[in-house]
Amino acid sequence: MQLCGKMRQPVETAEGRRSCPALRIRSVRRRMSGSYRADAARAFAIAVLVCLAVPARAGETPSLATGSFDCLVEPHRTVKLGASVPGLLSQVHVDRGDQVAVGQVVATLESNLEEANAALARAKAGNETQVISTRARAEFLRRKTERNSQLREKSVVSEAALDEVSTDAGMADQVAKEAILNFQVAKLEVKRAEELLRQRTVRSPVRGIVIERVLSGGEYRHDTNHILTISELDPLNVEVFLPLALYKQTSVGQQVEVLPEAPVGGQHRGRIAVIDRVLDAASGTYGVRIKLPNPNFLIPAGIRCQVRFLTQEVSAVPRR
């Protein structure tokens, strides 16, 4: 017989035996393996975190001014930079960690053929000899036609001779127009050749930091691979997820204070740039993107942070 509780009272089991539930629990605990205990501990820790994540008690309305929220600092955008055309890389001018400006040349492809074609097109576009000569001949035949017309009135030349000169003048005029058109086409060929040559030069579309160099000089760049990866770090995007109860308390343009974790630290001012219009019902949250100025690249991307929402300002743009 087993005695249970303070009164040490026995408990009758279904099989007719008397046992104590507390003693059974202790015996089961003793039989639990280490893995089961670890799982139970993890489940308990998750339950504690869920309880701590609740911003307010039931019936209370949470407020942005009550504290700070976890956030993540990310690049404004990341560009996998390639080239307009495939080809053999002549040189990559930057490396990982280098700062680049908008329009800076970061790589060049072999372009000897394109340079030669551009030079040939410029030479053709600069030659006006044919235009000048055809215009001069057309003008000469026009004057000749006028003289023969006057002579024809005096019956000095025949009608056939006047017709021949007049026809030559008309044909010369058409040749002059064709020469002018060819000259204009030559100028367009220069633009085409220069554009093909320009495609052999790769320029950065953003101001940022090179975070990866995939190819080097001497390697062939295909249509499917890129040369560099550049992250734009000014401004930075700060992503934060807030409880749905705070949805009406946030608005585009609202000022916030971002506190990056160590070793960066400090307090930095930003503004709300985007508020998600599609909410996450499963987690009961919605996303907010904050634009954080970073002109000197002092704040790195990919770092955790805390964000505090400041008092709503008049300059804030309300959500429509």
Side-chain angles (χ1 to χ4, degrees), residues 28-257:
V28 170
R29 285 178 177 173
R30 285 195 294 269
R31 291 196 301 269
M32 288 176 65
S33 63
S35 62
Y36 289 150
R37 292 180 181 178
D39 293 340
R42 283 195 294 271
F44 178 75
I46 293 173
V48 172
L49 290 176
V50 171
C51 293
L52 293 177
V54 177
R57 297 177 181 176
E60 293 183 1
T61 303
S63 174
L64 287 175
T66 57
S68 59
F69 300 86
D70 292 333
C71 58
L72 180 64
V73 180
E74 296 181 344
H76 181 61
R77 58 174 168 166
T78 299
V79 180
K80 291 186 176 181
L81 190 60
S84 302
V85 293
L88 185 66
L89 277 172
S90 174
Q91 187 177 1
V92 178
H93 304 281
V94 294
D95 203 350
R96 176 182 173 185
D98 290 345
Q99 180 176 335
V100 295
V102 178
Q104 178 179 338
V105 177
V106 295
T108 52
L109 279 70
E110 290 289 346
S111 57
N112 294 333
L113 178 60
E114 287 74 15
E115 290 177 358
N117 289 336
L120 180 61
R122 294 189 194 100
K124 289 181 177 179
N127 183 14
E128 298 185 53
T129 304
Q130 188 175 6
V131 174
I132 295 173
S133 61
T134 53
R135 278 180 173 177
R137 175 170 174 77
E139 181 64 22
F140 166 73
L141 292 176
R142 185 185 63 80
R143 294 195 304 267
K144 186 176 180 180
T145 302
E146 291 178 356
R147 290 195 298 269
N148 284 1
S149 297
Q150 295 174 359
L151 294 176
R152 176 58 188 155
E153 292 177 357
K154 299 178 181 180
S155 301
V156 176
V157 297
S158 64
E159 185 69 25
L162 177 61
D163 183 60
E164 182 179 357
V165 173
S166 177
T167 303
D168 290 341
M171 293 178 61
D173 186 60
Q174 295 300 319
V175 171
K177 291 180 179 180
E178 183 180 3
I180 295 173
L181 179 61
N182 291 336
F183 185 69
Q184 293 174 348
V185 171
K187 289 183 177 180
L188 295 177
E189 286 291 339
V190 172
K191 293 183 178 180
R192 179 176 180 273
E194 289 178 347
E195 180 62 23
L196 291 175
L197 180 60
R198 188 189 65 81
Q199 291 181 351
R200 315 296 290 187
T201 301
V202 182
R203 299 178 182 272
S204 173
V206 298
R207 175 177 176 265
I209 300 293
V210 179
I211 62 174
E212 181 187 26
R213 188 180 75 177
V214 180
L215 300 177
S216 301
E219 294 185 276
Y220 191 85
R221 189 262 164 188
H222 298 273
D223 290 330
T224 56
N225 58 356
H226 60 284
I227 304 170
L228 301 167
T229 303
I230 302 175
S231 287
E232 185 178 2
L233 301 182
D234 181 31
L236 290 167
N237 290 340
V238 180
E239 303 291 344
V240 58
F241 291 91
L242 302 176
L244 292 180
L246 302 177
Y247 189 71
K248 291 187 177 180
Q249 300 182 31
T250 54
S251 59
V252 175
Q254 184 175 351
Q255 256 198 358
V256 300
E257 192 174 63

